[in-house]
Amino acid sequence: MKRRLFVLCLGCLGACHLAAQAAGRISAADPRHFMQPVEPGRFAEEIQALESSGAVALLQSGYAITRRSYYLAPSAEWNSFVSQGDSAAAAWKGERQKLPGRRVGQDWVELWADAKRLRAEALVMSQQPVDSSGNCLIGYYTLARDPSLN
């Protein structure tokens, strides 16, 4: 009986360890994992507006956009996406950056970069919903240092 209980406890410990590892991966997950991807060609006008308002601040920070992806998500989730972005950036030693001229609570844009500014990613959200479900448009950008902007 004792031997069986010991084996059972070892099995539980193994399962707990795997669950803890999985929880760690989930907490550091890319925020895009929780968003609905936007099909190519959809919301072209809204994407243009998003880039002309939010991405301009990113470009003025010395970065050029190298990859864009767009998602739909409720605006109420913005803070959780930013928190997930913090966790994901921490995995590659990135930290949230201050954006000159950003109005906290009004400009929904966040930038993460590593200490040498070699890697950067950004999250930008539209001010208004773009679909009948009340979802906002979110742009997720991979950035590269742009020497011509420094």
Side-chain angles (χ1 to χ4, degrees):
M1 179 78 166
K2 288 181 184 180
R3 177 188 247 174
R4 187 172 173 186
L5 182 59
F6 179 72
V7 171
L8 183 60
C9 288
L10 283 178
C12 290
L13 285 174
C16 289
H17 179 70
L18 290 175
Q21 283 182 329
R25 281 193 298 273
I26 291 168
S27 67
D30 187 322
R32 295 173 289 181
H33 176 73
F34 301 100
M35 299 179 203
Q36 176 187 350
V38 171
E39 300 84 28
R42 189 172 176 207
F43 300 115
E45 191 174 304
E46 291 86 350
I47 288 171
Q48 178 63 35
L50 185 69
E51 293 213 358
S52 66
S53 64
V56 170
L58 302 176
L59 296 175
Q60 291 172 347
S61 298
Y63 294 98
I65 298 170
T66 59
R67 196 181 102 204
R68 297 164 164 87
S69 48
Y70 301 98
Y71 303 87
L72 294 175
S75 64
E77 298 298 320
W78 174 251
N79 289 333
S80 66
F81 297 141
V82 171
S83 179
Q84 291 161 6
D86 288 338
S87 295
W92 48 268
K93 308 259 190 287
E95 293 183 354
R96 202 176 332 165
Q97 305 293 302
K98 283 191 168 210
L99 291 170
R102 178 177 175 256
R103 298 167 301 174
V104 177
Q106 294 179 10
D107 298 323
W108 291 358
V109 55
E110 293 294 348
L111 170 68
W112 293 269
D114 64 6
K116 295 183 180 181
R117 296 181 52 179
L118 298 176
R119 179 174 179 176
E121 295 181 4
L123 197 60
V124 180
M125 185 165 67
S126 66
Q127 295 286 330
Q128 301 297 320
V130 296
D131 68 5
S132 60
S133 298
N135 289 313
C136 287
L137 182 66
I138 296 179
Y140 194 89
Y141 302 97
T142 302
L143 308 164
R145 188 168 21 177
D146 186 345
S148 69
L149 296 174
N150 289 331

